[in-house]
Amino acid sequence: MPQSKKINPEEILKHHELKATPQRIEVLSTFLKRNQVMSLAELNKMLGKEFDRITLYRTLNTFEEHGLIHKIPDSNGNINYALCKHESLDHSHNDNHIHFQCTSCNLTVCLEELEIPIIRIPKKFNPVKYIFLIEGICEDCDGKVKKHKGLV
Amino acid sequence: MPQSKKINPEEILKHHELKATPQRIEVLSTFLKRNQVMSLAELNKMLGKEFDRITLYRTLNTFEEHGLIHKIPDSNGNINYALCKHESLDHSHNDNHIHFQCTSCNLTVCLEELEIPIIRIPKKFNPVKYIFLIEGICEDCDGKVKKHKGLV
DNA sequence: TGATATATGCAACAATGTTTCATTTGGTTA
DNA sequence: TAACCAAATGAAACATTGTTGCATATATCA
Ligand SMILES: [Mn+2]
Ligand SMILES: [Mn+2]
Ligand SMILES: [Zn+2]
Ligand SMILES: [Zn+2]
């Protein structure tokens, strides 16, 4: 039988040179369990109200600095968080992709396969990082609207 | 002598079907005076602490809904505000451009001439609005770093 | 099994978002 | 011009999130 790749939060943390504290393990496990974009509110809810919010704040900062997660800001200034996809346990990861957010239900997704196109900008601006968010309506919400309007 | 185009806040408001209240005139005048991207903090500072912050909050929302200004969110969830460029006083305006923000001094600029490229995304996502922010280092900050490192 | 650099938890404060509601007022009409 | 009224304002109140300082706890390593 093929050995399924086990995702061990402790090992991931150590590979990123982070102390494997219970809090970090819990946060990382939450990301691995849900495996989707999460808002701070959703994270707080999943972790339970016993989990210290300042610790979560610092944990998210630390995870981002070490390339475990990336932030996805939306047009209202709300920030969502997503795990960075890693091939195996090495440090390579790629956040340079487009994100989509449904303005109706707030579903937010990483479009990992869609790289952000490089744009030439005036030379007095030295580009470092690109953020490309597409806002719109997801399939589910679109369906509901059409159904409600009697179009289906 | 050529009659210089006078920008009258009251007329602009009325052309956008907004009551020309003293507060709105003051906010719009502030945008016209500065003629550049402003953060909420900068707006508050320019308006003075007598200006009610809830009124400012609602005024910004109203201005955005009516296409007078557009929001520019950055990767930290901070929002900057900029006047929408209008040809004359008609309602046509274009926010579909790229923005640049310096991560060192927070200078934020509208690159009006750079349209956001249209990207094909999976059909289950119905795109409505595109947000493209480029983060980097501006000329001034770049110069300071090089000077500090003795490279100039 | 210590030693220690780091992480955590709590207090405290700031900034901003958002709603409710009583009062004021800009624009319109008689 | 005076009166009317839908809309705007301002104050209060509350929530969320960001952020730092500091005392305590602990993961890791020698
Ligand atoms: Mn992503
Ligand atoms: Mn702009
Ligand atoms: Zn949706
Ligand atoms: Zn700069």
Side-chain angles (χ1 to χ4, degrees):
Chain A
M1 55 192 277
Q3 168 86 29
S4 78
K5 216 194 307 178
K6 58 179 169 186
I7 36 180
N8 187 327
E10 291 198 32
E11 283 197 22
I12 296 178
L13 287 170
K14 287 180 180 167
H15 271 267
H16 284 268
E17 296 168 321
L18 291 171
K19 280 192 191 176
T21 68
Q23 293 83 353
R24 287 173 177 173
I25 292 170
E26 196 177 348
V27 173
L28 183 49
S29 299
T30 302
F31 273 107
L32 292 168
K33 245 180 287 180
R34 279 283 290 258
N35 195 33
Q36 61 175 281
V37 176
M38 282 188 290
S39 67
L40 184 62
E42 287 170 323
L43 263 168
N44 269 314
K45 196 188 297 176
M46 289 200 67
L47 289 166
K49 53 187 168 310
E50 331 78 55
F51 199 99
D52 186 73
R53 75 176 192 93
I54 289 92
T55 299
L56 177 56
Y57 163 72
R58 282 190 279 227
T59 299
L60 291 173
N61 276 354
T62 303
F63 281 8
E64 198 202 1
E65 286 163 9
H66 286 75
L68 262 82
I69 62 173
H70 60 280
K71 295 197 284 190
I72 307 163
D74 70 16
S75 67
N76 294 314
N78 298 126
I79 294 182
N80 284 74
Y81 301 88
L83 269 186
C84 293
K85 290 281 181 293
H86 290 73
E87 336 297 327
S88 75
L89 274 176
D90 67 8
H91 283 202
S92 73
H93 62 276
N94 179 14
D95 312 346
N96 195 47
H97 52 257
I98 294 175
H99 294 103
F100 176 86
Q101 186 176 65
C102 174
T103 53
S104 176
C105 68
N106 272 106
L107 167 79
T108 307
V109 293
C110 294
L111 303 176
E112 316 266 7
E113 69 283 6
L114 293 182
E115 270 216 12
I116 299 177
I118 302 298
I119 303 280
R120 290 183 59 85
I121 60 177
K123 56 185 175 307
K124 61 179 174 176
F125 303 120
N126 204 304
V128 172
K129 190 183 171 191
Y130 297 77
I131 296 159
F132 197 151
L133 175 70
I134 301 182
E135 288 183 348
I137 303 293
C138 77
E139 204 168 31
D140 282 0
C141 290
D142 209 30
K144 281 172 194 155
V145 169
K146 281 177 182 153
K147 194 163 191 175
H148 185 260
K149 287 187 178 174
L151 298 177
V152 176
Chain B
M1 52 191 278
Q3 168 86 30
S4 75
K5 217 194 310 179
K6 58 177 167 187
I7 36 179
N8 188 327
E10 291 198 32
E11 285 198 21
I12 296 177
L13 288 170
K14 287 180 179 166
H15 272 267
H16 284 267
E17 296 167 322
L18 291 171
K19 280 192 189 174
T21 68
Q23 292 83 353
R24 288 174 176 172
I25 292 169
E26 197 177 347
V27 173
L28 182 50
S29 298
T30 302
F31 273 106
L32 292 167
K33 246 179 285 178
R34 279 284 289 258
N35 197 32
Q36 62 175 282
V37 176
M38 282 188 289
S39 67
L40 184 63
E42 287 169 323
L43 264 168
N44 268 314
K45 195 188 295 176
M46 290 199 67
L47 289 167
K49 52 187 168 308
E50 332 78 56
F51 199 100
D52 185 72
R53 74 176 192 93
I54 289 94
T55 299
L56 176 56
Y57 163 73
R58 282 190 281 230
T59 300
L60 291 174
N61 276 354
T62 302
F63 280 8
E64 198 203 0
E65 286 162 10
H66 286 75
L68 261 83
I69 63 173
H70 61 280
K71 295 198 285 190
I72 306 162
D74 70 16
S75 67
N76 293 315
N78 298 127
I79 294 181
N80 284 73
Y81 301 88
L83 268 186
C84 294
K85 290 280 181 293
H86 290 72
E87 337 296 326
S88 75
L89 274 178
D90 67 9
H91 283 201
S92 73
H93 63 275
N94 180 14
D95 313 346
N96 195 46
H97 51 257
I98 293 175
H99 294 103
F100 175 86
Q101 187 176 64
C102 174
T103 54
S104 175
C105 69
N106 270 107
L107 167 78
T108 307
V109 293
C110 294
L111 303 177
E112 315 266 7
E113 70 282 6
L114 293 183
E115 270 217 11
I116 299 177
I118 301 297
I119 303 281
R120 290 182 59 85
I121 60 177
K123 56 184 176 312
K124 60 179 175 176
F125 303 120
N126 204 305
V128 172
K129 191 183 170 191
Y130 297 77
I131 296 159
F132 197 151
L133 175 71
I134 300 182
E135 289 184 347
I137 303 293
C138 78
E139 203 167 29
D140 283 359
C141 290
D142 209 29
K144 280 172 194 157
V145 170
K146 282 178 182 152
K147 194 164 191 175
H148 184 260
K149 288 188 178 173
L151 299 177
V152 176

